[in-house]
Amino acid sequence: MNRVILMGRLTRDPEVRYSQGERSMAIARYTLAVDRRGRRSQDGSEQTADFINCVAFDRAGEFAEKYFRQGMRVLISGRIQTGSYTNREGQKVYTTDIIVDDQEFADGKNASGGGQGYGGGYQQPASRPEPSGAIGDGFMNIPDGVDDEGLPFN
């Protein structure tokens, strides 16, 4: 079984191209910085993230183009695909990409700092109004003369 689930931050805005032919299709490429779990060095010299190349096709590519921005934390699932090609210097270069099946936001709208303009229907919860009998610390005053047996807790 070839299945990958990753959560990381976009290192830059997705690069999107459209295929040629009768029906053009969006092809979005982006890189996720995925934190490694485990020990970290004291001086910070060790790499603590892996940079994973991702490719999203068709509607997923259009979604990435429209809503994904640098710094956003996203959750993706897909499969690993390896390949190779020969570069201009005649050297063989090996590639590893994640072909995205599903992708979604892993944070709320304003969590990445950029927060402007992506959809998903997320709204920050409104602050809860204080009850009318609140004394400022979130607790209500219990009027004098109320016996403890009438309260729903001990």
Side-chain angles (χ1 to χ4, degrees), residues 16-50:
V16 181
R17 295 192 175 137
Y18 286 84
S19 65
Q20 301 295 318
E22 193 174 307
R23 182 184 171 274
S24 70
M25 174 177 36
I27 303 167
R29 294 184 172 275
Y30 53 87
T31 302
L32 286 185
V34 179
D35 287 332
R36 290 183 182 171
R37 283 192 171 186
R39 289 183 272 173
R40 295 192 175 155
S41 64
Q42 296 294 341
D43 63 355
S45 63
E46 282 186 43
Q47 178 180 337
T48 60
D50 291 303

Side-chain angles (χ1 to χ4, degrees), residues 63 67-68 72-75 103-108 118-120:
F63 182 88
Y67 297 113
F68 284 2
M72 285 182 176
R73 193 164 64 144
V74 297
L75 177 68
Q103 57 192 0
E104 59 188 71
F105 304 111
D107 282 331
Y118 72 88

Side-chain angles (χ1 to χ4, degrees), residues 40 49-50 67 70 94 99 113 115 126 137:
R40 295 192 175 155
D50 291 303
Y67 297 113
Q70 178 178 346
Y94 295 93
I99 306 303
D137 59 0

Side-chain angles (χ1 to χ4, degrees), residues 116-139:
Q116 69 275 2
Y118 72 88
Y122 179 82
Q123 294 181 350
Q124 293 283 40
S127 62
R128 185 181 303 172
E130 290 284 329
S132 60
I135 57 174
D137 59 0
F139 293 98

